[in-house]
Amino acid sequence: MGTKNKILISGYYGFDNSGDDAILRAIVNDLNNNIENVEITVLSKNPSYTEKVYKINAVNRFNIKAVIETIKSCDLFISGGGSLLQDVTSTRSLLYYISLMRMAKFFNKKVMVYANGVGPINGRMNRIWTRRILNKVDLITLRDEDSRIFLEELKVDNENIYVTADPVFTLNPTKPDKVINILKKESIPENKPLVGVSLRNWRDSDNLVVNMAKAIDHIVEKQNVNVILIPMHYPEDLEISNKVLDKVNNNSTYVLSNKYSVEDIMGIIKKLEMIIAMRLHSLIYAASQGIPMVGIVYDPKIEGFLKSVDMDYMCPAEGIEHQNLIEKIDIVWSNREKLKKNLAKLDEHMKKEALKNTYMAKELLEK
């Protein structure tokens, strides 16, 4: 059998967030499929759940002693993917991820920043600490060009920086028959074309709810569709989805009320004609399945991703106006067949780019 290649992965795992769950699923699949004799351990908020779902080892991310011991025994420390290195959420989370990388380097471990979206980082000391650790790690792959530009502005001079793609592009959706059963279980009819909406709480969320409800009423009346509100992070997204449902004036809007796997959500999105979405990975799921989209921008990463896939149809989350949103929805709806073809071509390219993360991790492990 030979010696195990021990890889430790750090990220926002075990928090019931579909986007981060998708990242972990993709990374684990790709590492298992491309590296022989690999043993993967993940730092998770919910280790027992992570072990059960992903069939890997997991350690409580808040158990400092266990984390240190696991770092000491690994061959490669992976930070990512996702938006770990930013201080919009909090300085505390940024320092947590920086500290883990510093610890790994202290124990002379190979460290890879894996398909990260980096920034914004606004605090002066936060920028200094981030630059210092990123100059010390062995390899950095980034999911978008905006992150590379941000590292230039941060004056990170690590020679091993590459723009690839989000790992989620390598995932495959659930089979159609299972998706049909899910829709039946949720009492969502398939008698009309389906349009998806995926929202999260943000500043000015009351205004967002009112204007999204008006936009949904518009598309239901004008295009004769059914609308599915798709939560990505439980329970927060379910709450705002239900608020929108309470505001709409039609009987063709439904909430996906139960929690589903990453692959299931991808399969559901694949059945849509288009999606209006806030969370990055709802947009990535759509792009990977060739589904046109309108983005609701609450963070620069949303705008950056939409531009990277040539889907320049977006509205700001704060101060959103339903007329502006309706205008974007109508454009995407009218051009959806052409947009689907463009996205299908792009998806093949993004899959190849996403797999480069794994190939580079393998090369680093073998050095």
Side-chain angles (χ1 to χ4, degrees), residues 340-350:
K340 284 178 184 179
K341 289 175 184 175
N342 294 343
L343 286 168
K345 291 176 191 171
L346 183 72
D347 180 48
E348 285 307 310
H349 169 72
M350 297 300 267

Side-chain angles (χ1 to χ4, degrees), residues 326-344:
I326 286 168
E327 182 183 312
K328 302 294 192 303
I329 291 169
D330 285 348
I331 292 169
V332 172
W333 179 267
S334 299
N335 294 283
R336 68 190 186 283
E337 294 307 324
K338 179 184 174 184
L339 295 173
K340 284 178 184 179
K341 289 175 184 175
N342 294 343
L343 286 168

